[in-house]
Amino acid sequence: WIALVTSFIILSYYSVVAGWAMNYTWLSFSSGFSGMEGAAISELFGEVYANPWWNTFWHTAFMATTIFVVAKGVQGGIELCSRILMPILFALLLLLFVYSMTAEGFKDAFAFVFMPDASKLTSAAVLEAVGHSFFSLGIGLGALLTYGSYLSAKENVVTTSITIAALDTLVAITSCLILFPIIFSVGLEPGQGPGLVFVSIPIAFSQMTGGAILAPLFFLLLTFTALTSAISLLEVVVATFVDEKKWSRVKSATLIGFAIFIFGIPSALSGGTELFGGKVETLTAFLLGEGDGKNWFDFFDYLSSNWLLPLGGLGVALFVGWRMDKNAIVAAFETSKPIGKVFWGWMFLLRYIVPIAILAVFLHVIGLY
């Protein structure tokens, strides 16, 4: 149930971010960013963030698309969508990567990504990386459990898991080597969060030869990526109600998707209204004991990233490590010889190291470590 709540909450505000990607896809196809000054592009994102009507419109469009795919079923919706989107995603990723290799800033970007800097390897940085891995792989929100339940019993679980983690890491690194060469080529500083994607990248495209073509490709890639993630988030909740409550898939996807959409409207309004902006910031500042509060959007991002995801991961680790039928776990590993020989090492990590690492995240969040 923690996983369901986590998926529900994350999708509610994730859809708003995906809406920004859809908005920028439309802007880049219709007019592009060519000829726009950097200050104007920076102001553009501020206007998008603060515009409740546009945020709600794109939030609606994105959630409607996600609900439609999930309602069509595993094979007719999710699998079909993945078979179409994934090749397009990798093609766009490869195209942008090849281009970035020719950019002037590729050498600097490569050093930025791969050259170690021991002074920056702090405990906070390590814990942030742990939190990123939860988000990136969907650990603690039930996506892997849900998709795993659709696999054949003969499927090689360990090899599949390693492949998923490896491909996820490869795509992440490739994305870095697309983003940062573009940033460094026009002399911009690498930022983080929405500012990197919706401010720095458009500014870079506006100053680059061929930027009018690359910008639509980039934001289309971003939108497709967001859609595949959103499908996974909604499927976690939908599959549970289909299995446990015996709802039809269409009913489950429609009702739950609509509930998530309604819960996400305050996130869409956080940047442009006092009710879900300033008033919620005052409340969260009191609850969290911080000087600066968080609006609705930021609060639920903070809650899911720092508490719900690690808590869900901790629950899975403790259940599998200490309560689950060991014979069932061994049987899954035996399908993946010779990798199955590392079973006891994996079990040791799951029982002891993983819980300690996740507890360290909690201690860091509450300021004790």
Side-chain angles (χ1 to χ4, degrees):
W1 289 107
I2 291 174
L4 298 191
V5 171
T6 305
S7 296
F8 187 100
I9 290 175
I10 290 177
L11 182 54
S12 72
Y13 68 81
Y14 186 84
S15 175
V16 177
V17 179
W20 298 340
M22 293 179 76
N23 191 359
Y24 270 66
T25 302
W26 166 256
L27 290 173
S28 57
F29 270 111
S30 59
S31 59
F33 303 102
S34 299
M36 291 184 66
E37 297 292 333
I41 294 176
S42 298
E43 291 175 3
L44 175 63
F45 177 66
E47 293 171 2
V48 169
Y49 178 69
N51 190 317
W53 298 109
W54 275 113
N55 280 330
T56 303
F57 171 79
W58 290 112
H59 170 54
T60 304
F62 185 80
M63 278 304 304
T65 304
T66 305
I67 292 169
F68 175 78
V69 173
V70 174
K72 295 290 287 184
V74 177
Q75 290 184 314
I78 299 172
E79 186 176 336
L80 180 63
C81 184
S82 297
R83 287 182 182 275
I84 296 172
L85 288 183
M86 285 305 171
I88 296 175
L89 281 173
F90 279 103
L92 290 174
L93 198 70
L94 181 61
L95 179 64
L96 290 171
F97 176 66
V98 170
Y99 176 83
S100 70
M101 290 180 66
T102 66
E104 294 181 4
F106 185 80
K107 182 178 179 181
D108 292 334
F110 191 89
F112 177 74
V113 174
F114 290 107
M115 293 297 290
D117 185 349
S119 66
K120 295 181 179 179
L121 190 61
T122 62
S123 59
V126 172
L127 293 175
E128 187 171 337
V130 172
H132 170 74
S133 70
F134 275 93
F135 235 111
S136 186
L137 285 167
I139 298 171
L141 52 76
L144 295 176
L145 293 175
T146 304
Y147 284 152
S149 70
Y150 301 146
L151 294 177
S152 165
K154 298 179 181 179
E155 196 72 38
N156 191 319
V157 176
V158 178
T159 302
T160 301
S161 301
I162 293 173
T163 302
I164 290 170
L167 284 174
D168 180 82
T169 304
L170 177 63
V171 169
I173 292 174
T174 305
S175 299
C176 287
L177 294 177
I178 291 173
L179 288 169
F180 293 118
I182 295 173
I183 295 297
F184 284 121
S185 293
V186 295
L188 296 174
E189 289 296 319
Q192 61 181 347
L196 171 65
V197 176
F198 297 108
V199 176
S200 298
I201 288 294
I203 290 175
F205 283 140
S206 71
Q207 300 177 20
M208 293 170 58
T209 303
I213 298 174
L214 292 171
L217 292 178
F218 174 81
F219 286 108
L220 188 64
L221 171 66
L222 192 66
T223 301
F224 284 167
T225 305
L227 180 59
T228 58
S229 298
I231 290 169
S232 300
L233 290 166
L234 182 57
E235 177 64 14
V236 171
V237 191
V238 168
T240 301
F241 277 80
V242 169
D243 292 342
E244 300 295 331
K245 303 299 181 182
K246 308 306 178 186
W247 288 11
S248 70
R249 173 167 284 273
V250 173
K251 173 184 176 181
S252 182
T254 303
L255 293 182
I256 293 169
F258 183 72
I260 292 173
F261 162 74
I262 295 297
F263 192 77
I265 289 178
S267 289
L269 304 180
S270 292
T273 63
E274 176 63 19
L275 177 60
F276 298 109
K279 291 186 181 299
V280 174
E281 287 179 4
T282 302
L283 176 61
T284 56
F286 173 76
L287 293 175
L288 299 175
E290 299 177 355
D292 296 323
K294 304 178 186 299
N295 62 29
W296 182 285
F297 180 104
D298 292 331
F299 174 74
F300 282 102
D301 179 37
Y302 165 84
L303 178 67
S304 57
S305 302
N306 293 280
W307 290 98
L308 295 178
L309 280 174
L311 187 61
L314 178 63
V316 170
L318 293 176
F319 175 77
V320 176
W322 295 98
R323 290 295 301 277
M324 189 173 176
D325 182 1
K326 191 177 295 183
N327 292 328
I329 305 174
V330 172
F333 264 81
E334 287 178 347
T335 65
S336 50
K337 295 178 181 178
I339 298 177
K341 294 179 181 179
V342 304
F343 171 77
W344 294 109
W346 173 80
M347 182 61 78
F348 176 81
L349 288 173
L350 199 63
R351 282 184 168 182
Y352 302 104
I353 305 301
V354 170
I356 291 173
I358 295 175
L359 287 173
V361 172
F362 285 131
L363 291 176
H364 175 69
V365 169
I366 64 178
L368 294 179
Y369 173 67

